[in-house]
């Protein structure tokens, strides 16, 4: 669900392996093939260290207690809406606590994905889709035909809404994935209502604008095997997610970094927390009032990391544009491109989206 912002390594042909997992298990080598060499990425920008989490600290990842949005007093609700507004405009990400995606469901989901990645390579190949619109797609890296260097991760992506598709193995996977996706979606619906209000709109505004009833939801699991040279490789380079919001959990192994105030922060996600990121279509719809957050995944040499990200987007055939009520009178111009969500996805995922900013498109037309 990602598109790279920059890629620096020189092109080297991929080794003949299907997954990074198989590569690691077959070689046991202490170095990585040059095809995975992404070295420059760690030097490009400052790293700030671990992101402090909420509390009262000014500069920490905000925590949103969603139970107060659902059953708090009117004062508590407006306090959380205010916190959400700050979280979306200052950080572009936040941690949701007291939600209904139970820890046991998340654990079961992670275990089930692990079982999937543990299937024999030949069985996984059955799901090796080639097109971004294949409802089940398993693979490695991101888009080998387009990327110069490969990423140190394997993935499985499944459409979860409005149509639901999953592999029919391992046993139980489909039921767990259905419940996990549904509960995450319920959290997102509560958040979208509160976000609408935080933008001064009536609570169903964003859902209506995005035709969220038919909203496209993508369930993606990332598998980052231990890496003998973690400082040379990258799990996923810096990118923005394409939906309205992304919800993300992981298996207790850290690796996610977000960019805040031009610095990279490590994000450690506690087991009972849903990590939520503002994605491109909330930025577009809000005409930049809420900006999507740049993030990336690093790898390590100690433990396999798994993350599960759910992209919650508009309906595929909905034309997305800055909402007229959110376009500033002063600038008087929508700052973002207008197109259907499916077109955006297709262009972004194949590296053909020039920019989401209208000004960039106009500039390149003028040249
Ligand atoms: C993604 C993503 C980050 C992570 O799947 O788009 O950014 O922590 N994943 O795995
Ligand atoms: Ni992402």
């Amino acid at each position: 669900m990602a598109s790279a912002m920059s890629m620096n390594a020189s092109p080297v042909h991929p080794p003949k392996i299907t997954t990074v997992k198989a590569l690691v298990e077959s070689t046991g080598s202490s170095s990585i093939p040059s095809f995975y060499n992404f070295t420059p990425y760690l030097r490009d920008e400052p790293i700030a260290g671990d992101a402090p989490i909420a509390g009262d600290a000014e500069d920490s990842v905000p925590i949103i207690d969603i139970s107060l949005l659902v059953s708090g007093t009117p004062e508590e609700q407006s306090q959380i809406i205010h916190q959400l507004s700050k979280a979306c405009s200052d950080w572009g990400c936040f941690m949701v606590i007291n939600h209904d995606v139970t820890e046991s469901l998340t654990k079961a989901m992670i275990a089930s994905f692990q079982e999937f990645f543990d299937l024999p390579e030949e069985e996984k190949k059955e799901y090796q889709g080639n097109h971004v619109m294949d409802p089940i797609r398993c693979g490695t890296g991101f888009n080998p035909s387009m990327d110069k260097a490969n990423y140190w991760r394997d993935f499985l992506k499944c459409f979860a809404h409005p149509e639901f598709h999953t592999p029919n193995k391992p046993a139980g996977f489909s039921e767990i994935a259905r419940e996990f996706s549904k509960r995450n979606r319920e959290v997102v619906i509560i958040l979208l209502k509160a976000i609408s209000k935080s933008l001064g709109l009536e609570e169903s505004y964003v859902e209506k604008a995005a035709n969220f009833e038919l909203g496209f939801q993508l369930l993606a699991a990332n598998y980052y095997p231990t890496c003998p040279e973690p400082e040379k490789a990258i799990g996923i380079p810096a990118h923005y997610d394409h939906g309205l919001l992304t919800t993300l959990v992981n298996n207790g192994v850290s690796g996610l970094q977000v960019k805040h105030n031009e610095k990279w922060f490590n994000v450690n996600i506690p087991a009972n927390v849903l990590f939520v990121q503002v994605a491109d279509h909330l930025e577009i719809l809000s005409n930049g009032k809420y900006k999507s957050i740049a993030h990336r995944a690093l790898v390590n040499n100690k433990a396999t990391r798994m993350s599960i990200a759910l992209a919650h987007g508009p309906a595929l055939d909905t034309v997305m544009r800055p909402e007229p009520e959110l376009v500033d009178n002063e600038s008087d111009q929508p700052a973002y491109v207008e197109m259907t969500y499916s077109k955006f996805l297709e262009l972004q995922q194949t590296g053909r989206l020039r920019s989401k900013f209208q000004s960039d498109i106009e500039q390149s037309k003028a040249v």
Side-chain angles (χ1 to χ4, degrees):
M1 55 197 279
S3 75
M5 296 202 306
S6 66
M7 265 165 275
N8 299 307
S10 56
V12 184
H13 287 292
K16 278 201 184 333
I17 51 107
T18 46
T19 64
V20 186
K21 186 170 185 286
L23 171 80
V24 169
E25 287 170 2
S26 68
T27 64
S29 163
S30 60
S31 60
I32 61 172
S34 60
F35 182 57
Y36 291 93
N37 205 329
F38 234 97
T39 311
Y41 84 91
L42 273 178
R43 292 198 218 109
D44 61 359
E45 282 141 347
I47 294 178
D50 289 350
I53 297 173
D56 292 328
E58 228 348 82
D59 214 24
S60 54
V61 177
I63 293 185
I64 300 297
D65 183 345
I66 199 167
S67 69
L68 293 178
L69 275 177
V70 181
S71 51
T73 62
E75 290 74 35
E76 284 169 333
Q77 291 188 13
S78 50
Q79 201 184 348
I80 302 294
I81 289 170
H82 178 70
Q83 286 173 8
L84 256 180
S85 155
K86 265 187 79 59
C88 291
S89 44
D90 295 355
W91 273 87
C93 65
F94 48 92
M95 306 237 174
V96 172
I97 58 166
N98 296 328
H99 52 74
D100 283 340
V101 187
T102 61
E103 220 176 307
S104 57
L105 178 59
T106 297
K107 279 208 175 111
M109 187 73 271
I110 291 174
S112 223
F113 270 117
Q114 175 77 56
E115 277 182 55
F116 176 84
F117 288 114
D118 284 343
L119 290 172
E121 294 296 299
E122 301 73 49
E123 286 186 42
K124 282 186 280 188
K125 260 195 198 148
E126 208 182 298
Y127 301 108
Q128 208 174 35
N130 290 318
H131 188 266
V132 281
M133 281 304 160
D134 288 337
I136 303 176
R137 197 154 58 95
C138 156
T140 192
F142 177 60
N143 187 345
S145 60
M146 168 180 121
D147 298 335
K148 291 186 180 129
N150 213 3
Y151 309 163
W152 197 265
R153 69 121 188 208
D154 301 325
F155 66 83
L156 171 64
K157 299 181 184 191
C158 309
F159 288 11
H161 193 274
E163 283 180 31
F164 179 81
H165 297 262
T166 50
N168 54 13
K169 51 196 152 183
F173 180 89
S174 180
E175 291 73 19
I176 296 167
R178 192 184 282 275
E179 186 66 13
F180 184 77
S181 306
K182 176 170 156 265
R183 297 248 186 143
N184 271 268
R185 186 173 153 81
E186 285 163 2
V187 169
V188 166
I189 288 174
I190 297 168
L191 291 173
L192 289 180
K193 291 190 196 308
I195 285 173
S196 290
K197 286 188 182 170
S198 80
L199 290 165
L201 303 167
E202 62 93 13
E203 72 169 17
S204 59
Y205 196 101
V206 171
E207 284 167 88
K208 281 187 192 145
N211 193 11
F212 200 71
E213 234 169 81
L214 293 175
F216 177 65
Q217 187 190 29
L218 185 69
L219 171 66
N222 299 303
Y223 189 94
Y224 308 98
T226 52
C227 177
E229 296 182 289
E231 67 291 346
K232 285 190 179 166
I234 186 91
I236 310 181
H239 68 281
Y240 303 96
D241 289 351
H242 49 66
L244 293 156
L245 293 175
T246 300
T247 52
L248 188 132
V249 294
N250 65 26
N251 65 342
V253 178
S254 298
L256 175 65
Q257 288 191 327
V258 296
K259 198 173 188 184
H260 176 65
N261 288 343
E262 299 308 309
K263 291 198 190 99
W264 288 103
F265 286 88
N266 302 320
V267 181
N268 303 311
I269 309 169
N272 55 355
V273 154
L274 276 185
F275 186 66
V276 179
Q277 301 181 117
V278 172
D280 281 339
H281 278 83
L282 185 54
E283 175 170 346
I284 292 171
L285 188 147
S286 71
N287 204 34
K289 293 197 166 48
Y290 296 158
K291 295 216 166 40
S292 63
I293 184 155
H295 57 284
R296 65 188 186 184
L298 307 189
V299 293
N300 76 84
N301 57 10
K302 298 198 174 60
T304 293
R305 172 161 188 263
M306 279 181 67
S307 69
I308 303 176
L310 272 153
H312 308 264
L316 287 171
D317 61 357
T318 300
V319 176
M320 293 301 292
R321 60 171 78 91
E323 278 306 302
E325 296 192 32
L326 296 171
V327 175
D328 262 341
N329 288 334
E330 276 166 44
S331 55
D332 201 27
Q333 278 296 319
Y336 294 85
V337 294
E338 175 177 322
M339 66 177 86
T340 61
Y341 183 43
S342 60
K343 182 83 185 165
F344 186 99
L345 260 181
E346 170 97 37
L347 292 178
Q348 189 223 39
Q349 300 273 304
T350 51
R352 289 180 295 139
L353 182 70
R354 273 175 298 162
S355 173
K356 62 191 170 197
F357 297 106
Q358 193 60 38
S359 55
D360 290 346
I361 303 297
E362 267 146 34
Q363 247 174 23
S364 69
K365 267 192 214 148
V367 172

